[in-house]
Amino acid sequence: MSAGTGVGVTVVALTEQNWPALQELLGPQGGASGCWCMWFRRTANDFKRNKGEPNREALGSLVGSGEPVGLLALDAGGKAVGWAAVAPRLAHIRLDRSAVAAPPDPREDLSDVWSVTCFFVDRAARGTGITRSLLDAAVTYAAEHGARCIEGYPTDTEGERKQVSTLYHGTLSMFLDAGFELIGRRGIKRALVRRDLR
């Protein structure tokens, strides 16, 4: 991928070489509760059984295979300060049963749809625009890999301040500002958004 830059960071694809930097960023909890960004890639039961080290190992195996997993935002010193999970939608099996992520047409071929499922930014770097830089780079990354469109499942904050723990999907306003289209509101606070890449 072509590295994206913004707000003093460089955004690069996650690889075996920079996998240690992601591990340092996510810390011993793997972001939160031993997730290691495997929540969308496992069934609910599999996720519960594999919290913590098994999830870390599974993510590491995906990285080692060369499969697209996500993007890292690196500061000027090369330290990872942000992460976005972005990959083909079909790699995220939990989306199949998600009311929020249900496609507008159930008959749609999803093989060339990509998904941005999660953001994580270092506490000291929050509020500096890194999440938006990651989202912009995710659009480029998906397009470079032949995606027809890229989608997200953001939270609608309605302009209110929210706890960080509720914003890992990103915010609706950020996605709309980045050129995504609101496909549908899903419940009170969630939405499906897409950006056409053709």
Side-chain angles (χ1 to χ4, degrees), residues 112-114 132 135-136 139-140 142 147-152 175-183 193-198:
D112 52 3
V113 176
W114 278 48
R132 174 59 192 270
L135 179 58
D136 290 341
V139 171
T140 301
R148 169 175 56 88
C149 70
I150 184 169
E151 64 183 26
F175 275 90
L176 296 180
D177 287 347
F180 284 71
E181 176 187 358
L182 176 62
I183 301 301
V193 294
R194 281 187 172 182
R195 181 165 163 177
D196 193 344
L197 302 177
R198 292 170 292 191

Side-chain angles (χ1 to χ4, degrees), residues 1 4-5 11 71 119 129-142 174 177-180 195:
M1 125 172 217
T5 59
V11 180
L71 303 172
F119 296 95
I130 289 173
T131 306
R132 174 59 192 270
S133 292
L134 284 162
L135 179 58
D136 290 341
V139 171
T140 301
Y141 186 56
M174 179 185 69
D177 287 347
F180 284 71
R195 181 165 163 177

Side-chain angles (χ1 to χ4, degrees), residues 24-26 79-83 120-128 130:
E24 182 179 352
L25 173 66
L26 296 183
K79 178 184 176 183
V81 292
W83 156 255
F120 184 91
V121 175
D122 182 79
R123 183 183 302 274
R126 291 173 188 165
T128 63
I130 289 173

